Amino acid sequence: VWLAGLALFVAAAACCAFAPSFEALLALRVVQGLGGAAVMGLTGALVRHSYPMSQLGRAIALNALTVAASS
């Protein structure tokens, strides 16, 4: 799901660059949002399995900080 979401997000982002109209851009941004939702939904699980249990709180905090700073 994560890899498919990432591929969908990247493909939609590339298509957004060449959107011929506002309506097409809007539709492609919706598709890009679906891909982003697939990626974000699994990020917590990836963080959980990437860090040791003793570092889990720090890893979740860094992930939350990154998301907050990006928005």
Side-chain angles (χ1 to χ4, degrees), residues 43-53 55-56 59:
T43 302
L46 289 173
V47 168
R48 167 62 188 95
H49 290 288
S50 299
Y51 287 86
M53 195 62 145
Q55 297 279 318
L56 186 57

Side-chain angles (χ1 to χ4, degrees), residues 12-13 15-32:
C15 290
C16 282
F18 303 108
S21 66
F22 176 74
E23 291 80 12
L25 177 62
L26 186 62
L28 287 166
R29 290 288 291 164
V30 169
V31 172
Q32 191 178 18

Side-chain angles (χ1 to χ4, degrees), residues 9 20 29 40 44:
F9 181 86
R29 290 288 291 164
M40 289 301 294

